[in-house]
Amino acid sequence: MDPSAQTSREHAAGQMAAAHSIGGRSSAARHAASPSTAQTDPIHDPSGILQVDFEPDKPPSRKSSFVADHIAPVAHEPVYHAFFSPALAPFRRRYFIIIGRATLLIIALMWACLPLYWGALSSSAKRTGNLGAWFIDRDGSRVGRGLAQAVQKYSAPGPRLSWQFFDANDVGDDDDIIDMVLKDRVWVAIVVQPNATTKLATARVNGDQTYDPSTAINVYYSQARQEIATGNYIVPLTTQLLQTTTSAYATSNAQRVFAQIDSNGEPNSTALQMIANAPQTISPAISWTMVNLRPYQAPAAQAATLVGNIFLCIFSFMITMANSTARAILNPHMPFLPYMVLRLTVPFIAYLPLSMSYALVNLAFKLPLGTKFGLGGGFMLSWVYIYLGMAALGLSLEAMITILTPRFTPFFLFTLILYNVSPVVLPDELQPAIFAYGFGFPIWYALRTIMFNTNSHLGKNVAVIIAWIILSCGTMTCFTWYMRRREVRQLYAHAATARAKAKTPDDAPSDAEKGKEKQKSVE
């Protein structure tokens, strides 16, 4: 064979091998092999895309090659497992730990809070004797004395009111009694009107068809003072009492009257004719008139006076969570004092539109905001109290979220709601003495006074709310300072650990390697 031809074929085979070698690698791999374009090892991202990091002072080469540079993604099919698969054992354990802890915490929260609310309602029927009830006899004759004796002897099963009997001269006229009911001195007052016996006898003798038995007795009460107590106990128990006593009096009175008519063995036809003209003088003879001094005439008001307080807590919680997320962005970049001013200022500003929106909902549903102070004054005053109440509740959440973190703040929210609502769901007289703590909590009767002109506690209420605001601002400041100091200590500890590790790096050459390098340098 011709040597030159053999040489030519060998040269061509070498070129083909070189081309195959070059085409089988990317330009990145070739430059990685070259010392002049050294690069770090490629990294496979979990997403399946090959990533190559280059040193800052040695950018990648843009020289072309026989095969176009291309980093092909490495596709990884997602692998799924059944819940009880052994591959999910560590994740399953963590899952059950989280659910188990949450369940135990919620159970503990139930037993810490729910008994309080249940206890506020459970013994109310046994405590109706604490509801003040007055009986005043202005008649001083047969009707008044007969009813007073019947009330004293009245004994019915179940809850009963504790009646106190007063002389008419000791309590003043009906206007004075009305004033006492409106000032919460008494829950209900039965007043036998003057000359009730005389009016009944005159109407019966004369056959007066205009006689109204219900004018004999007036019953004064204020429904808006507490609609649950009046609806469940005051009105039903008083009505039951009067039905029993007036029916008994009417029976005894009819027996006495007919005995007088037939006293000589012959009925008095004239008397019978008069009774026929005015039968109401025999049955029912006497009755009563319920005088509701402050009617609870707006059913939607319950949304503002009781349930609405729960809504205030929830809305305050929502803005607290939003503020927690937002201020976390600025917290690492601000010193303590400016950051604290931010924490205290932003909630007060945020509560303004929120409370105004809440007050406008009350106005839209035509709640009687103008009963005591006029519509304009009542609306503005209700807005002020809603704003202060939201601030008192919201700032307490702002303080506690600093310590509890957003994970556990909902537990405090539930506690805050239950401990605020429980004392006001029923009046103090129907609850155990422990619920007197409600006077020191921000949820109280301000809106009830504004809407229904009930006995005013506005001054006490605003004092309690402002005290809550001041307390929450103070605790928030202390908690923030403590957490900031704790974070700084953790950063210093982390930095010290990092410096200690830097002094003994893992990639430092060993003594053996140092000896080999020294031997090479000597050679």
Side-chain angles (χ1 to χ4, degrees), residues 201-245:
T202 303
R204 184 174 60 246
V205 170
N206 298 326
D208 187 0
Q209 297 179 355
T210 63
Y211 172 73
D212 184 4
S214 63
T215 59
I217 303 171
N218 283 345
V219 180
Y220 299 104
Y221 72 102
S222 175
Q223 181 187 14
R225 178 180 176 181
Q226 222 292 333
E227 67 281 0
I228 297 177
T230 55
N232 291 350
Y233 300 112
I234 296 296
V235 173
L237 295 179
T238 304
T239 301
Q240 181 183 7
L241 169 70
L242 289 175
Q243 285 176 343
T244 303
T245 54

Side-chain angles (χ1 to χ4, degrees), residues 33-292:
S34 174
S36 61
T37 58
Q39 301 169 359
T40 62
D41 293 336
I43 301 173
H44 287 282
D45 187 80
S47 62
I49 300 176
L50 183 65
Q51 298 180 352
V52 181
D53 295 333
F54 300 96
E55 296 182 8
D57 56 341
K58 297 179 181 180
S61 172
R62 297 183 179 272
K63 296 180 181 180
S64 62
S65 61
F66 290 100
V67 180
D69 291 342
H70 176 69
I71 301 177
V74 180
H76 292 288
E77 289 289 338
V79 180
Y80 299 104
H81 302 277
F83 182 75
F84 291 101
S85 171
L88 292 183
F91 304 101
R92 190 166 56 245
R93 180 175 177 274
R94 292 172 57 190
Y95 173 83
F96 282 125
I97 289 176
I98 293 173
I99 297 299
R101 287 176 179 173
T103 303
L104 292 177
L105 283 175
I106 294 173
I107 291 174
L109 183 67
M110 286 181 182
W111 284 99
C113 297
L114 294 184
L116 186 76
Y117 189 75
W118 265 243
L121 300 172
S122 61
S123 61
S124 59
K126 301 176 182 178
R127 299 176 183 273
T128 54
N130 296 331
L131 298 173
W134 290 0
F135 186 96
I136 299 97
D137 176 20
R138 297 190 185 281
D139 178 54
S141 187
R142 182 178 291 115
V143 172
R145 290 195 301 267
L147 288 177
Q149 292 174 2
V151 171
Q152 290 174 345
K153 296 177 181 179
Y154 177 76
S155 178
R160 288 180 294 174
L161 299 177
S162 179
W163 292 95
Q164 295 178 280
F165 297 85
F166 290 90
D167 187 89
N169 297 325
D170 296 335
V171 295
D173 57 13
D174 279 18
D175 291 336
D176 296 325
I177 295 175
I178 290 173
D179 186 63
M180 293 180 184
V181 173
L182 293 178
K183 289 183 177 179
D184 300 345
R185 293 280 304 278
V186 59
W187 279 90
V188 60
I190 294 178
V191 182
V192 181
Q193 294 301 302
N195 302 318
T197 303
T198 302
K199 291 178 181 179
L200 173 61
T202 303
R204 184 174 60 246
V205 170
N206 298 326
D208 187 0
Q209 297 179 355
T210 63
Y211 172 73
D212 184 4
S214 63
T215 59
I217 303 171
N218 283 345
V219 180
Y220 299 104
Y221 72 102
S222 175
Q223 181 187 14
R225 178 180 176 181
Q226 222 292 333
E227 67 281 0
I228 297 177
T230 55
N232 291 350
Y233 300 112
I234 296 296
V235 173
L237 295 179
T238 304
T239 301
Q240 181 183 7
L241 169 70
L242 289 175
Q243 285 176 343
T244 303
T245 54
T246 56
S247 297
Y249 177 83
T251 300
S252 63
N253 180 67
Q255 292 173 349
R256 181 180 56 80
V257 169
F258 284 112
Q260 291 177 352
I261 291 175
D262 197 23
S263 60
N264 297 326
E266 293 184 9
N268 187 330
S269 59
T270 303
L272 291 176
Q273 183 61 39
M274 294 301 102
I275 292 174
N277 291 339
Q280 68 272 26
T281 58
I282 296 298
S283 178
I286 57 173
S287 185
W288 65 92
T289 300
M290 301 294 293
V291 183
N292 187 359

